[in-house]
Amino acid sequence: MTGDLALSRPLRLATQLTGDSAGQARTRLLNAAVHVRIAAEFEHSQDAVILLRSLVDQLSRCCGTVVVSAPAAIARACVERDRELHDRPRVHAGRASSAGAKALDILIGNCPGIPGGIATCSDGWTGKVYATSTRDQPAAFTIANPIGALTAAALTAGEAFLRLVGVGRPPLAFELSAWTGDCGPPCSLAAGPRLPAAPPIDALLIGCGNVMNGWAAAVRALQITGHARAVDRQCLGEENLGPYALACHDMIGQPKTALLAGHLQPLITVTRHDEELDLFVPRITRWHLPLPALVMNGLDEVEPRHVVQRLWPEVLVDMAAGGTTSQVIVHRRGDAGQCLLGAFAVPDTEPGYIQRIETATGLRRDRFLDEFTTPVTAQDVAHAPPEHRARLQAAADSGQLMCGYINQASLTARSTSDDFAPAAPFVGALTGARAAAITVALLTGDNVPGGMRWQYNFLSNRARTVVVRCLDTCECHTGQAS
């Protein structure tokens, strides 16, 4: 899987779903063509335009050609966005004929009785996907809400991706409410409440990857204001262009927090922390940086999830995307609902913070665990493996603090491993849309139960929501969370 890092994560998902070789899946995806068009009566609908632009953006990250039939200004915006993503054009403005006879046809809006394509729309909080041949058309764009539009875009992009890679699909007719998390057949779900005016947000955002990108895109569409702190230890790599909704070429090599801040600002002022989570946490636990009531998690691994949970924020929203499954978990401090300690056990194969920092820096664990605010010393150089000594010597000569040295090593690290998780833009986008709806509910005082776990699987087009309780012996019940 070399040669096209931008496609590597969706490509890994395709190979796992189909059993095809990487070469076969790559050829199938890059040869695929999709025609996205907007019904004339919805060309001036803001939600229809949001749906189209998000859908085209997601499709362009995992297939070779996307032709957009829309008013000139809308099509031009899609083409310009494509230039920020790819060295050679993938998105084109044109008619269906320019996409080719075998192109997958996607219609935004209602157009009954035309066989073979996918139709999509939204209404309020609900995104809808159905066949263009469907005679009974669901309500489309009657209640404005960008989250419904982004939900529909993610659902449609997922359906298109699965078709393009050759996965067998169930009958095409379903809808999903980002407000309730429920999924059902067409016309079975309510549009949900009118979009309320949310008060300013004050949040801590931890992990600025795929799902946090999806959340940020949705929150920006809602025009929420406020302040947030963003924490991430990595820079954006070319491999992130496939799954990250906000990524573009000119941000490669920049901290992931900068990508998030650039999108949320100026509506949400973002204070960036380009550092290891374990080096950020003492700001709260030792140096009394205020912990916001709301913490949004976008972490891949279990150990850092546990680290964040042990801060015991008032509300913790954990977002995840794995394979074809979107997931959101909510924990409330003092509530009987399940916390992340009870929800996730650390797997034996997961490299922990200590092992990772030892490998990346050559520092001894007793030094960076207990004395990370002190300078790198000659003794650190002497005790380090040979391959790390030159860099450590430069740090010692400049008087660099150990925490700064660790964060610099993390930001400049490049992964060369072929052992990476499959990731596609639509899974993170849907997770982010659902989490944004939950964020609105939390900000406006709506009841969101602690211990709630929501999941949606793109293979089955099914969702489920359960409320789970931790064992009485868990830390969240034994007084340590108070």
Side-chain angles (χ1 to χ4, degrees):
M1 292 190 186
T2 59
D4 194 347
L5 286 175
L7 188 63
S8 60
R9 272 56 183 170
L11 184 61
R12 172 64 63 86
L13 179 59
T15 59
Q16 290 188 357
L17 291 173
T18 64
D20 287 346
S21 69
Q24 290 171 323
R26 186 180 189 278
T27 298
R28 188 191 291 263
L29 284 172
L30 293 183
N31 286 346
V34 182
H35 176 227
V36 181
R37 56 196 174 102
I38 188 168
E41 62 267 36
F42 298 115
E43 289 178 353
H44 301 291
S45 164
Q46 184 176 10
D47 283 356
V49 174
I50 289 172
L51 197 168
L52 182 142
R53 293 185 62 174
S54 178
L55 173 60
V56 170
D57 183 80
Q58 292 177 60
L59 291 173
S60 74
R61 296 172 190 269
C62 53
C63 69
T65 302
V66 183
V67 175
V68 181
S69 295
I74 300 171
R76 185 167 55 250
C78 293
V79 171
E80 290 173 355
R81 174 58 173 160
D82 179 60
R83 289 173 182 159
E84 298 175 347
L85 289 171
H86 304 110
D87 294 331
R88 56 186 181 277
R90 292 188 183 180
V91 176
H92 312 270
R95 298 179 179 275
S97 57
S98 59
K102 295 183 179 180
L104 176 61
D105 185 43
I106 300 178
L107 171 69
I108 295 169
N110 291 334
C111 188
I114 299 176
I118 299 174
T120 182
C121 64
S122 66
D123 192 30
W125 297 93
T126 301
K128 311 180 183 192
V129 183
Y130 51 98
T132 52
S133 58
T134 302
R135 295 287 178 179
D136 297 326
Q137 302 294 299
F141 307 115
T142 61
I143 299 177
N145 189 320
I147 301 302
L150 293 173
T151 298
L155 294 172
T156 308
E159 182 66 28
F161 175 85
L162 294 171
R163 289 190 180 197
L164 293 175
V165 300
V167 175
R169 305 302 298 129
L172 179 62
F174 59 95
E175 55 189 32
L176 173 69
S177 169
W179 183 253
T180 66
D182 295 335
C183 187
C187 307
S188 66
L189 303 179
R194 294 278 178 176
L195 188 62
I201 193 173
D202 181 24
L204 176 60
L205 315 177
I206 302 180
C208 299
N210 183 8
V211 292
M212 193 67 78
N213 271 235
W215 179 85
V219 165
R220 177 58 188 260
L222 288 167
Q223 300 290 291
I224 290 175
T225 62
H227 174 261
R229 293 183 182 274
V231 182
D232 199 291
R233 63 182 174 85
Q234 294 180 320
C235 286
L236 190 75
E238 186 179 352
E239 67 275 8
N240 302 133
L241 289 176
Y244 286 25
L246 308 180
C248 53
H249 259 294
D250 64 4
M251 285 299 296
I252 291 176
Q254 297 297 310
K256 292 181 180 180
T257 58
L259 178 68
L260 205 72
H263 189 76
L264 291 175
Q265 294 178 148
L267 294 177
I268 297 177
T269 303
V270 178
T271 302
R272 292 169 43 203
H273 297 273
D274 306 325
E275 55 190 310
E276 290 280 348
L277 175 61
D278 286 73
L279 298 180
F280 171 81
V281 164
R283 296 179 183 273
I284 295 170
T285 58
R286 295 190 191 182
W287 304 313
H288 307 297
L289 182 73
L291 176 65
L294 176 61
V295 175
M296 305 295 300
N297 250 6
L299 298 166
D300 295 328
E301 297 173 335
V302 175
E303 183 187 86
R305 279 183 163 116
H306 286 188
V307 170
V308 175
Q309 181 64 83
R310 287 191 171 101
L311 293 174
W312 302 112
E314 184 176 322
V315 181
L316 174 56
V317 179
D318 185 83
M319 303 176 288
T324 57
T325 300
S326 294
Q327 177 175 280
V328 181
I329 296 175
V330 178
H331 177 259
R332 289 181 175 273
R333 187 180 64 207
D335 190 282
Q338 188 178 58
C339 71
L340 300 189
L341 303 178
F344 301 106
V346 180
D348 294 336
T349 57
E350 181 176 294
Y353 170 72
I354 294 174
Q355 177 187 344
R356 183 167 52 77
I357 297 305
E358 284 180 326
T359 302
T361 67
L363 290 167
R364 293 167 293 158
R365 65 178 60 189
D366 59 312
R367 285 282 286 137
F368 66 77
L369 287 179
D370 300 329
E371 304 174 35
F372 56 85
T373 58
T374 62
V376 176
T377 67
Q379 282 191 323
D380 293 322
V381 179
H383 285 90
E387 64 270 19
H388 291 285
R389 289 175 187 166
R391 188 174 180 180
L392 278 168
Q393 186 63 61
D397 292 343
S398 66
Q400 186 176 26
L401 297 183
M402 199 169 309
C403 53
Y405 178 79
I406 292 170
N407 288 328
Q408 184 181 41
S410 296
L411 281 170
T412 57
R414 288 290 179 267
S415 175
T416 58
S417 172
D418 287 334
D419 183 21
F420 55 84
F426 51 86
V427 187
L430 184 63
T431 300
R434 173 70 173 125
I438 290 171
T439 301
V440 171
L442 292 167
L443 291 176
T444 56
D446 204 276
N447 181 42
V448 180
M452 187 204 77
R453 176 182 290 210
W454 170 83
Q455 292 179 322
Y456 175 83
N457 191 286
F458 283 84
L459 286 176
S460 64
N461 301 334
R462 292 181 179 176
R464 70 167 187 166
T465 301
V466 295
V467 177
V468 187
R469 177 187 170 92
C470 270
L471 297 175
D472 291 341
T473 54
C474 182
E475 288 180 37
C476 64
H477 293 310
T478 57
Q480 297 183 51
S482 60

